Amino acid sequence: ELDQMGFTAAILDIDGTIDDYPPLLERIANYLNDGKKIAIATGRGESIKKKFFGKLDALGLSESGRSNLYIYLFNGALYLRP
């Protein structure tokens, strides 16, 4: 359990992992809202922005939580600030 490990940041892939597992998306929204930093790395382009943020927003991602999220598109070639 990540909460028990005391982590303060994580870097995750999105395709076939968190994007397809709603309970994990809910956990991510909670972690972000709690002030933990999370980076998402994907080979996708900006099409991910609307889809991914829409899911997190529906799960209660706050504005302060958004500031803890970092997204890297095109395999890290482009940084997208939420």
Side-chain angles (χ1 to χ4, degrees), residues 10-68:
I11 300 173
L12 307 168
D13 179 38
I14 193 169
D15 296 315
T17 53
I18 62 176
D19 193 37
D20 298 330
Y21 192 61
L24 185 53
L25 284 173
E26 185 174 2
R27 279 290 218 6
I28 288 169
N30 291 337
Y31 285 139
L32 292 167
N33 287 338
D34 288 344
K36 294 181 172 63
K37 308 285 188 212
I38 294 182
I40 303 295
T42 181
R44 296 191 207 181
E46 290 193 41
S47 63
I48 194 64
K49 183 178 178 180
K50 183 176 180 181
K51 180 180 178 185
F52 188 66
F53 285 125
K55 288 179 180 182
L56 288 175
D57 289 342
L59 293 169
L61 182 64
S62 67
E63 283 300 315
S64 63
R66 267 183 184 252
S67 69
N68 295 318

